[in-house]
Amino acid sequence: MDTEIIREIDVQSVMTKSSLPVGGYSVNPYVGCPHACQYCYASFMKRFTGHTEPWGTFLDVKHWKPIADPHKYDGQRIVIGSVTDGYNPYEETFCRTRTLLKELRGTNAEIMICTKSDLVLRDLDLLKAFPKVTISWSVNTLDEQFRSDMDNAVSIERRLRAMKQVYDSGIRTVCFVSPIFPEITDVKAIIEEVKDYTDLIWLENLNLRGEFKVRIMNYICKNYPELFPLYEEIYNKKQNDYWQTLEANMALYAQANHLPYRINDLPFGRSVKGRPVVVNYFYHEKIKLNNGK
C-alpha cells in the first residue's frame, strides 16, 4: 500500500442523506481511498476536505458519535462506500465499517455495500443478521494487467471468489461492471464468468472529466494506440454512437440469453441462478436513461 498520510478525525455523524440515484443514506467511514483508481470520480472530494495530496495517498479514519437508534433508518437504503471503499486494506486495522454494522444492528434498512475487496468476508456474521443486504463488487475487466494499471485493489480473481462465497452464503450479490472502457471492457465475458453467482449485473460507462481525463487519455494513447481515435471521438467530440450501439447489443444479448433487462433500476431480491438481472445504468450526456418514461 502506498498510502502514507493516515489521520483519525472526529465527525458528528457518519450518516449522510444521499443524492445518489439509489437514494437513502450514503455512508463513508473513511475519507480518501488507497485503491487509487485512475478513473475515480470521487477524487473531487479533495475540494471539500482540504487535501492537496494526490488521490490515493491519504486516508482519514472517521470516528463518530455512536448511532443511538438504528430504527431511525428502518425502510431506508443505506449505501456504504459511495466515495470510498469501506473495506480498503486499513479497515482490517481500524474496523470502522465493522463498527458501523454493529451499531446498525436491529434496523430493517436495506444495506448496500460497494467494494473492490474480499475483506467483506470477515463481516459475514454481521451481514447475515440484516433482513436486506446487497454486496456489490466493481469488476470492469478479467485482465489482471489492465486491472493493476487502473487500481491498487485486490485481484479480480479474489473479488470473484468473494462474490461466489457471499452468494453461496445466501446474501444478494451485484457485479458492477464499471466503468466500461470502450473496446477494452468485455462486458459479455464478465457476465458469462459471474452469471452463476450474482443476482444483478449493473452496467455503467466510463465518464471522463476533471483531472483524470488527461491521465486516462494519455494511458490509452500509450497502451492502446489503435483505440485512441475512438476515445477522441467519444470524449473530445462527444459522440454517443459507441454507447448507443453497446446498449442495443446488450439488450439483444440479454434477450437471447433469457436474462431480465432493466433500465436505470435497482430491483431487490434474488435472481434465478444463472439468470441475473442486467441493468443498463449508462450515464450519457444526451441519452435519457428512462427513454422519457
Side-chain angles (χ1 to χ4, degrees), residues 43-276:
S43 57
F44 77 89
M45 291 295 293
K46 290 200 302 181
R47 294 179 235 167
F48 306 109
T49 63
H51 287 279
T52 57
E53 309 91 344
W55 182 252
T57 66
F58 64 88
L59 188 73
D60 292 349
V61 182
K62 292 182 181 179
H63 293 277
W64 55 86
K65 293 181 178 179
I67 296 171
D69 180 16
H71 292 291
K72 174 182 178 181
Y73 304 104
D74 286 353
Q76 297 289 331
R77 178 179 283 146
I78 298 175
V79 180
I80 301 174
S82 58
V83 292
T84 187
D85 194 329
Y87 286 100
N88 72 76
Y90 293 96
E91 165 64 15
E92 193 165 4
T93 299
F94 293 103
C95 296
R96 301 313 295 148
T97 298
R98 185 169 177 84
T99 296
L100 173 66
L101 293 174
K102 287 180 178 179
E103 292 177 0
L104 288 172
R105 278 185 297 194
T107 182
N108 66 14
E110 178 185 344
I111 306 296
M112 183 174 182
I113 293 172
C114 306
T115 187
K116 282 186 169 80
S117 176
D118 54 359
L119 182 56
V120 67
L121 295 173
R122 180 201 64 187
D123 292 342
L124 279 181
D125 60 328
L126 290 172
L127 292 165
K128 287 180 179 179
F130 293 97
K132 287 186 175 183
V133 180
T134 300
I135 303 178
S136 169
W137 284 267
S138 296
V139 178
N140 74 343
T141 183
L142 298 177
D143 179 350
E144 293 289 3
Q145 181 58 59
F146 180 71
R147 192 280 310 162
S148 65
D149 287 347
M150 289 294 117
D151 68 57
N152 295 331
V154 302
S155 68
I156 298 300
E157 179 184 6
R158 285 175 59 178
R159 296 180 210 182
L160 299 186
R161 193 161 57 235
M163 188 186 301
K164 185 177 189 304
Q165 188 172 335
V166 169
Y167 180 89
D168 290 343
S169 76
I171 292 177
R172 181 173 179 262
T173 64
V174 173
C175 182
F176 190 26
V177 185
S178 172
I180 296 172
F181 277 72
E183 295 302 312
I184 296 175
T185 300
D186 189 337
V187 179
K188 294 177 184 177
I190 294 171
I191 294 176
E192 292 298 323
E193 179 70 32
V194 305
K195 66 182 181 181
D196 288 332
Y197 49 90
T198 192
D199 295 287
L200 187 147
I201 311 285
W202 215 13
L203 310 178
E204 182 181 37
N205 66 305
L206 172 68
N207 282 294
L208 292 184
R209 58 184 182 272
E211 64 183 40
F212 60 85
K213 178 179 178 179
V214 173
R215 181 165 63 244
I216 294 297
M217 292 296 278
N218 287 341
Y219 173 85
I220 295 298
C221 186
K222 178 181 177 181
N223 296 278
Y224 297 88
E226 72 281 5
L227 296 180
F228 190 72
L230 173 63
Y231 279 69
E232 279 269 297
E233 181 179 288
I234 296 171
Y235 296 106
N236 289 333
K237 297 180 182 178
K238 308 297 183 184
Q239 298 297 313
N240 285 320
D241 295 1
Y242 180 84
W243 301 120
Q244 290 174 316
T245 299
L246 181 60
E247 283 184 303
N249 285 342
M250 292 312 303
L252 290 173
Y253 169 83
Q255 182 179 32
N257 288 274
H258 309 289
L259 305 178
Y261 185 76
R262 306 281 187 89
I263 296 178
N264 193 26
D265 193 11
L266 189 63
F268 189 83
R270 303 305 302 267
S271 297
V272 176
K273 186 176 177 65
R275 293 187 179 179

Side-chain angles (χ1 to χ4, degrees), residues 2-40:
D2 295 327
T3 304
E4 298 177 356
I5 304 168
I6 301 175
R7 62 176 185 168
E8 299 183 56
I9 62 173
D10 293 323
V11 297
Q12 287 297 308
S13 174
V14 74
M15 308 293 291
T16 303
K17 201 66 173 154
S18 177
S19 60
L20 295 172
V22 295
Y25 286 82
S26 176
V27 187
N28 292 285
Y30 301 90
V31 176
C33 184
H35 293 339
C37 299
Q38 296 296 309
Y39 47 77
C40 185

